[in-house]
Amino acid sequence: MLNSEPSESVNKGATVNGVPLVAVDAVFSVAADTVVLPYTIYSQAKNGNIKVN
């Protein structure tokens, strides 16, 4: 495929009801970060840094 002729079709990317999938993913990522980050900060403040071998 790397040495083939260029495609004639237009790549519009994945969409959900006309909304780019990356936008849908961004909304869920921001929501998950908002929920998880406070717990992560609390956990690290309570337990300290993770020990790496």
Side-chain angles (χ1 to χ4, degrees), residues 6-28:
S7 175
E8 297 295 327
S9 64
V10 177
N11 183 2
K12 296 182 180 179
T15 61
V16 175
N17 293 331
V19 178
L21 194 57
V22 67
V24 175
D25 180 56
V27 169
F28 286 110

Side-chain angles (χ1 to χ4, degrees), residues 2-51:
L2 293 175
N3 292 325
S4 66
E5 293 292 322
S7 175
E8 297 295 327
S9 64
V10 177
N11 183 2
K12 296 182 180 179
T15 61
V16 175
N17 293 331
V19 178
L21 194 57
V22 67
V24 175
D25 180 56
V27 169
F28 286 110
S29 293
V30 168
D33 288 345
T34 302
V35 170
V36 174
L37 190 59
Y39 173 74
T40 304
I41 293 170
Y42 167 77
S43 178
Q44 186 170 2
K46 180 181 174 190
N47 300 325
N49 293 333
I50 296 173
K51 303 223 183 315

